[in-house]
């Protein structure tokens, strides 16, 4: 097993299980990640070229990414994510937190995998938002293909007017929060490992105690007062970032601030994407480790980290 110093403040190109396997046990303070969701075309080998071309929605050649329903998706995801969660469990310090974004459809499988790996599911967050495209489809396209005459088609279309496939407009993403069991009491764990508690002075909205609902879009005065996080800056993603599922920096920063007890905690993301977790960790002064299988995305993360370095350069004049 290698020394943790060989991993700190580095990004690794490769399969996360392979890299996680090499990280020493009980060495990481926080794992914050956003794994592939295992919805169709978004499994652990997804890349932009495989995802449906979003500009071509007029002609339905195949269902857009994430829309095909298959009950095996959840089972396959569970089997794969259990292996990941077991490695995450091994490398986290006792009392360390494992935060993982998920999809409303497969959240139950994600939590079961985290739970079965040995974590205590302490709570879950909901990231609320209002802007998303409804994914439900009308069946008109399929009616057109039926071998019936036009009048029958028109009657069927009239009957099904307004009826669509059962997909809601998605307005939240769940975030699981598992904790590796503490080494003795909370107090003895903190004295020994300096992790395991939440910082209640990290407030949300108008100075409110941190809750399990988060939003970065203003939703309404009373809701904003309790749940609103600072609005993310327009330039936070980087100009060339075309990753499909970039997470808000404000949410990643918030989760790290809540749970990082040491000023130089080690924050790891095994599914780095364009690097939001590591950018959040670094901008808060913590150490980071990132793993990403796709070279193009790893490069996006590198660019975002170096932009952060440039922003932090002292003004010479
Ligand atoms: C949902 S995205 C993460 C997006 C990220 N949170 C951001 O803000 O940009 C998941 C990432 O996991 C990567 N990935 C998929 N399978 C992987 C594997 N086995 N090992 C490492 N990375 C993997 C994908 O290439 C993708 O970039």
């Amino acid at each position: 097993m290698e020394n943790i110093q060989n991993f700190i403040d580095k990004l690794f190109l490769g399969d996360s299980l392979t890299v996680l396997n090499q990280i020493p046990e009980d060495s990481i303070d926080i794992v914050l990640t956003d794994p592939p969701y295992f919805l169709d075309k978004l499994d652990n080998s997804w890349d932009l070229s495989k995802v449906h071309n979003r500009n071509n929605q007029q002609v339905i050649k195949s269902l857009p990414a994430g829309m095909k329903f298959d009950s095996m998706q959840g089972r396959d995801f569970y089997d794969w994510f259990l292996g990941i969660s077991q490695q995450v469990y091994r490398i986290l310090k006792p009392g360390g937190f494992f935060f993982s974004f998920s999809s409303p459809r497969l959240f139950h499988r994600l939590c079961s995998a985290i739970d079965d790996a040995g974590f205590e599911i302490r709570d879950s967050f909901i990231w609320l938002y209002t802007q998303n495209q409804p994914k439900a489809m009308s069946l008109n396209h399929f009616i057109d293909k039926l071998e019936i005459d036009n009048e029958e088609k028109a009657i069927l279309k009239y009957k099904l007017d307004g009826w669509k496939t059962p997909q809601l407009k998605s307005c939240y993403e769940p975030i699981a929060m598992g904790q590796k069991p503490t080494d003795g009491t909370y107090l003895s764990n903190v004295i020994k490992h300096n992790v395991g508690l939440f910082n209640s002075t990290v407030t949300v909205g108008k100075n409110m105690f941190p809750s399990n609902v988060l939003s970065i879009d203003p939703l309404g005065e009373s809701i904003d007062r309790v749940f609103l996080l600072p609005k993310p800056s327009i330039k936070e993603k980087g100009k060339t970032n075309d990753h499909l599922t970039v997470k808000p920096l404000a949410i990643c920063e918030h989760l790290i601030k809540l749970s990082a007890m040491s000023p130089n905690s080690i924050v790891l993301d095994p599914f780095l994407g364009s690097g939001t977790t590591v950018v959040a960790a670094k901008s808060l002064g913590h150490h980071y480790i990132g793993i990403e299988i796709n070279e193009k995305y790893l490069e996006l993360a590198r660019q975002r980290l170096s932009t952060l370095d440039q922003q932090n350069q002292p003004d010479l004049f």
Side-chain angles (χ1 to χ4, degrees):
M1 193 63 59
E2 295 195 41
N3 189 311
I4 190 63
Q5 295 305 329
N6 300 336
F7 294 88
I8 284 182
D9 296 334
K10 290 193 180 136
L11 304 184
F12 294 85
L13 178 66
D15 177 57
S16 62
L17 257 192
T18 315
V19 181
L20 288 172
N21 256 313
Q22 299 162 33
I23 297 179
E25 63 182 34
D26 298 344
S27 60
I28 304 293
D29 294 85
I30 300 165
V31 172
L32 166 55
T33 199
D34 173 27
Y37 289 177
F38 268 62
L39 305 175
D40 58 304
K41 302 181 190 142
L42 296 172
D43 62 12
N44 62 335
S45 57
W46 66 281
D47 71 65
L48 270 184
S49 60
K50 284 168 88 192
V51 173
H52 184 78
N53 176 359
R54 286 164 181 241
N55 300 326
N56 191 19
Q57 300 279 348
Q58 305 305 356
V59 184
I60 305 174
K61 288 192 183 139
S62 68
L63 290 176
M67 282 185 59
K68 205 153 99 197
F69 190 84
D70 172 356
S71 58
M72 284 314 289
Q73 289 165 340
R75 286 155 216 237
D76 291 346
F77 176 76
Y78 171 88
D79 290 343
W80 174 75
F81 204 65
L82 179 61
I84 301 287
S85 302
Q86 286 164 336
Q87 279 305 316
V88 169
Y89 183 91
R90 188 184 62 74
I91 63 173
L92 269 174
K93 293 178 182 168
F97 287 100
F98 180 17
F99 300 103
S100 183
F101 283 86
S102 182
S103 70
R105 255 172 69 183
L106 297 185
F107 187 51
H108 59 301
R109 295 282 180 188
L110 178 117
C111 286
S112 302
I114 295 176
D115 201 352
D116 291 350
F119 285 96
E120 293 165 357
I121 302 281
R122 305 298 302 197
D123 211 322
S124 53
F125 292 84
I126 279 184
W127 163 29
L128 272 185
Y129 46 80
T130 53
Q131 286 170 7
N132 203 350
Q133 290 288 335
K135 300 261 170 30
M137 288 194 322
S138 104
L139 300 188
N140 286 353
H141 171 73
F142 301 101
I143 294 174
D144 285 336
K145 290 193 168 165
L146 289 178
E147 288 181 3
I148 54 175
D149 64 41
N150 286 345
E151 196 180 337
E152 282 176 286
K153 286 181 186 173
I155 292 170
L156 202 47
K157 282 185 187 174
Y158 181 75
K159 182 182 169 201
L160 297 183
D161 188 30
W163 292 90
K164 296 198 167 178
T165 52
Q167 280 134 326
L168 298 165
K169 179 167 113 163
S170 197
C171 284
Y172 81 95
E173 261 186 45
I175 306 169
M177 174 183 142
Q179 182 172 31
K180 183 165 168 173
T182 51
D183 181 357
T185 63
Y186 272 110
L187 186 57
S188 61
N189 195 80
V190 168
I191 292 169
K192 236 166 143 181
H193 305 284
N194 208 15
V195 358
L197 298 179
F198 259 21
N199 185 350
S200 65
T201 67
V202 175
T203 54
V204 262
K206 289 220 158 76
N207 230 5
M208 297 300 223
F209 193 90
S211 83
N212 55 6
V213 178
L214 304 168
S215 175
I216 50 163
D217 308 315
L219 298 170
E221 216 175 299
S222 58
I223 296 179
D224 297 348
R225 203 169 67 82
V226 191
F227 304 135
L228 191 66
L229 284 172
K231 209 171 156 43
S233 72
I234 294 169
K235 61 178 185 188
E236 75 174 39
K237 271 170 64 170
K239 275 191 209 132
T240 54
N241 192 345
D242 58 358
H243 199 286
L244 286 177
T245 62
V246 180
K247 289 294 170 275
L249 195 57
I251 292 194
C252 293
E253 286 184 349
H254 179 69
L255 296 174
I256 296 171
K257 277 193 222 160
L258 270 183
S259 54
M261 295 193 75
S262 150
N264 44 13
S265 297
I266 306 174
V267 182
L268 180 142
D269 187 348
F271 302 101
L272 182 68
S274 67
T276 311
T277 300
V278 294
V279 170
K282 186 173 165 130
S283 64
L284 295 170
H286 297 297
H287 294 298
Y288 61 83
I289 301 173
I291 311 168
E292 169 58 52
I293 207 161
N294 184 319
E295 199 167 359
K296 188 176 162 227
Y297 298 147
L298 194 89
E299 191 45 42
L300 287 175
R302 276 210 187 97
Q303 282 167 17
R304 290 177 76 189
L305 285 170
S306 76
T307 307
L308 201 63
D309 278 336
Q310 285 155 21
Q311 284 163 358
N312 292 341
Q313 290 280 328
D315 236 340
L316 293 176
F317 302 101

